[in-house]
């Protein structure tokens, strides 16, 4: 079935829902950008005080916290954990770059 064969009211509802999805995606990107701005500051603080880039205890607490938030939001906690692990890996990479004295030339978004 092509788009031209879809009933007009169905297409309108589909368009409305997709517009909402696009807006949510934009909000997610902006929230991640804000999160990375904060984690970059953490990376600089850690580097100044010779703290390790990774903090496994903090990461474990954050994963458990996010799993609980996911459960309360009816989101698969395993998915939430995978997402946070992906974000944490990127944060640690940034912290390692900062600690190594190399400017992080990639934009933190």
């Amino acid at each position: 079935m092509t788009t031209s064969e879809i009933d007009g009211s169905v297409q309108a509802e589909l368009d409305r829902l997709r517009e909402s999805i696009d807006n949510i995606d934009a909000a997610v990107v902006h929230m991640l950008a804000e999160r990375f701005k904060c984690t970059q500051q953490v990376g600089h603080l850690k580097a100044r005080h010779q703290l390790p880039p990774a903090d496994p205890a903090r990461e474990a607490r954050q994963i458990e916290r996010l799993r609980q938030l996911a459960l309360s939001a009816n989101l698969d906690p395993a998915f939430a954990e995978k997402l946070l692990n992906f974000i944490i890996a990127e944060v640690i990479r940034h912290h390692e770059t900062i600690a190594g004295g190399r400017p992080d030339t990639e934009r933190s978004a």
Side-chain angles (χ1 to χ4, degrees):
M1 181 176 278
T2 66
T3 304
S4 63
E5 297 172 324
I6 297 174
D7 179 83
S9 64
V10 172
Q11 186 63 52
E13 180 70 2
L14 188 59
D15 291 345
R16 183 189 68 74
L17 291 168
R18 287 178 173 165
E19 185 177 334
S20 292
I21 291 167
D22 292 349
N23 290 337
I24 293 166
D25 288 346
V28 167
V29 167
H30 288 287
M31 292 301 297
L32 283 171
E34 285 301 311
R35 189 185 197 287
F36 277 104
K37 284 178 189 176
C38 292
T39 61
Q40 289 287 56
Q41 292 173 18
V42 168
H44 286 287
L45 183 62
K46 285 181 171 185
R48 279 195 306 273
H49 296 279
Q50 291 85 45
L51 298 171
D55 184 345
R58 160 84 175 153
E59 294 156 21
R61 287 191 308 272
Q62 283 298 95
I63 288 167
E64 183 53 35
R65 179 178 164 271
L66 199 68
R67 287 183 66 88
Q68 292 303 314
L69 288 170
L71 281 170
S72 69
N74 294 319
L75 181 67
D76 179 4
F79 169 77
E81 183 173 347
K82 288 177 191 174
L83 177 62
L84 187 59
N85 280 326
F86 180 78
I87 292 169
I88 288 170
E90 185 68 6
V91 168
I92 291 170
R93 188 184 68 77
H94 289 179
H95 289 187
E96 289 169 344
T97 300
I98 293 166
R102 299 179 312 272
D104 191 358
T105 56
E106 291 185 47
R107 189 160 192 196
S108 298

